[in-house]
């Protein structure tokens, strides 16, 4: 790989780490960049490399949140436990099928979520007035569905989790972003190990990318603790719009 392409990949990985620690969806940048600089590699290998690269950054971000904030542990534990086996199943599917066929479904879901967030000016500013749903069946269901998606395709999974944790479980945006980071960490860990076992990871490249991903994640975690929910909402809206545009471009130009 030319040095220019490798440096561009590292810069993209830094931004991806920042996004994963705030509004999720760092893979939206990281995977397409890998496809650009390594056009001959199988998509499953690029997905596996991106999972490995993102894992340490998510770990660094969640460690920061655990020290500075109060994560919704009952929700995180349930959703995370449900996400891990489903992420393994999704990653197994990705090594056998083309994950791109999930794109239309992902596009539809994210368009609906984007409209919901855009038309609610106070979305996630405060926790819901309804009782928080940190236990029961909803964390398990959300973790299972997003885990399967995370392992198989992954683009936008962290952002989808944030919206669901606000709408379904009643968290505010800060609480939802923190919970999403922890749950995503569980899914990415399971998926990365599955891709590694299948030999679908460029390990040296993934480890080099991980250094920049950690740096971005630490910056992102710092952003959440400083800017609060209003700054996070702006970033979430921008990411949703970018995510819709990217998936639509992929869907209708290929």
């Amino acid at each position: 790989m030319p040095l220019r392409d490798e440096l561009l990949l590292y810069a993209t990985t830094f931004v991806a780490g920042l996004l994963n620690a705030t509004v999720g969806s760092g893979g939206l940048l990281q995977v397409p960049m890998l496809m650009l600089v390594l056009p001959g590699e199988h998509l499953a290998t690029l997905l596996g490399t991106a999972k490995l690269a993102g894992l340490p950054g998510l770990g660094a971000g969640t460690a920061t949140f655990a020290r500075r904030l109060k994560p919704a542990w009952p929700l995180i534990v349930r959703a995370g436990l449900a996400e891990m086996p489903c992420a393994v199943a999704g990653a197994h599917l990705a090594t056998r099928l083309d994950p791109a066929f999930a794109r239309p479904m992902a596009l539809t879901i994210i368009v609906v979520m984007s409209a919901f967030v855009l038309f609610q000016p106070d979305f996630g500013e405060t926790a819901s007035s309804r009782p928080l749903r940190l236990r029961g069946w909803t964390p398990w269901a959300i973790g299972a569905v997003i885990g399967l998606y995370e392992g198989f395709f992954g683009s936008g999974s962290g952002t989808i989790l944030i919206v669901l944790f606000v709408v379904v479980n009643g968290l505010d945006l800060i609480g939802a972003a923190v919970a999403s980071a922890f749950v995503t960490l569980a899914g990415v860990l399971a998926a990365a190990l599955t891709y590694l076992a299948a030999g679908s990871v460029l390990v040296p490249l993934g480890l080099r990318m991980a250094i920049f991903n950690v740096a971005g994640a630490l910056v992102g975690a710092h952003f959440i603790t400083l800017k609060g929910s209003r700054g996070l909402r702006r970033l979430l809206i921008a990411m949703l719009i970018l995510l819709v545009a990217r998936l639509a471009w992929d869907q209708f130009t290929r």
Side-chain angles (χ1 to χ4, degrees):
M1 184 192 312
L3 178 60
R4 181 189 62 182
D5 288 351
E6 192 160 355
L7 292 176
L8 184 60
L9 179 61
Y10 294 153
T12 303
T13 302
F14 174 87
V15 178
L18 188 153
L19 292 175
N20 279 336
T22 52
V23 293
S25 301
L28 173 69
L29 300 178
Q30 202 163 241
V31 174
M33 184 55 66
L34 280 166
M35 293 171 67
L36 180 65
V37 300
L38 297 170
E41 289 291 344
H42 191 276
L43 179 57
T45 300
L46 300 182
L47 289 172
T49 303
K51 302 292 185 196
L52 178 63
L55 187 59
L58 281 166
T62 53
T64 301
F65 293 144
R67 289 197 308 269
R68 298 185 182 181
L69 301 172
K70 295 181 178 179
W73 290 117
L75 170 65
I76 290 168
V77 170
R78 287 163 174 78
L81 287 175
E83 176 147 342
M84 292 184 75
C86 292
V88 170
H92 272 300
L93 283 175
T95 60
R96 292 162 173 78
L97 303 174
D98 183 1
F101 87 81
R103 193 180 294 119
M105 177 184 67
L107 178 59
T108 302
I109 293 170
I110 294 169
V111 165
V112 172
M113 288 187 169
S114 300
F116 188 85
V117 173
L118 284 169
F119 290 110
Q120 291 201 48
D122 60 346
F123 179 83
E125 292 290 333
T126 59
S128 172
S129 57
R130 296 179 285 108
L132 296 180
R133 297 181 178 179
L134 305 184
R135 296 175 173 83
W137 65 271
T138 56
W140 296 98
I142 290 172
V145 172
I146 299 302
L148 186 65
Y149 178 76
E150 173 70 56
F152 183 70
F153 188 64
S155 290
S157 59
T159 306
I160 295 171
L161 270 178
I162 291 173
V163 177
L164 289 176
F165 285 157
V166 172
V167 175
V168 177
N169 302 102
L171 298 178
D172 62 13
L173 263 178
I174 298 297
V178 171
S180 172
F182 276 97
V183 175
T184 300
L185 173 63
V188 170
L189 173 61
L193 291 175
T194 305
Y195 282 114
L196 280 167
S200 297
V201 179
L202 303 174
V203 175
L205 177 60
L207 293 177
R208 294 197 300 273
M209 291 170 63
I211 297 171
F212 296 89
N213 196 275
V214 168
L218 291 175
V219 172
H222 190 61
F223 174 90
I224 283 187
T225 58
L226 286 181
K227 295 296 184 180
S229 60
R230 188 168 297 274
L232 187 58
R233 182 178 184 275
R234 295 192 189 102
L235 191 57
L236 176 64
I237 290 172
M239 178 49 58
L240 284 167
I241 293 171
L242 181 60
L243 190 55
V244 168
R246 175 70 204 190
L247 289 173
W249 175 267
D250 287 347
Q251 176 64 27
F252 298 115
T253 59
R254 295 185 181 185

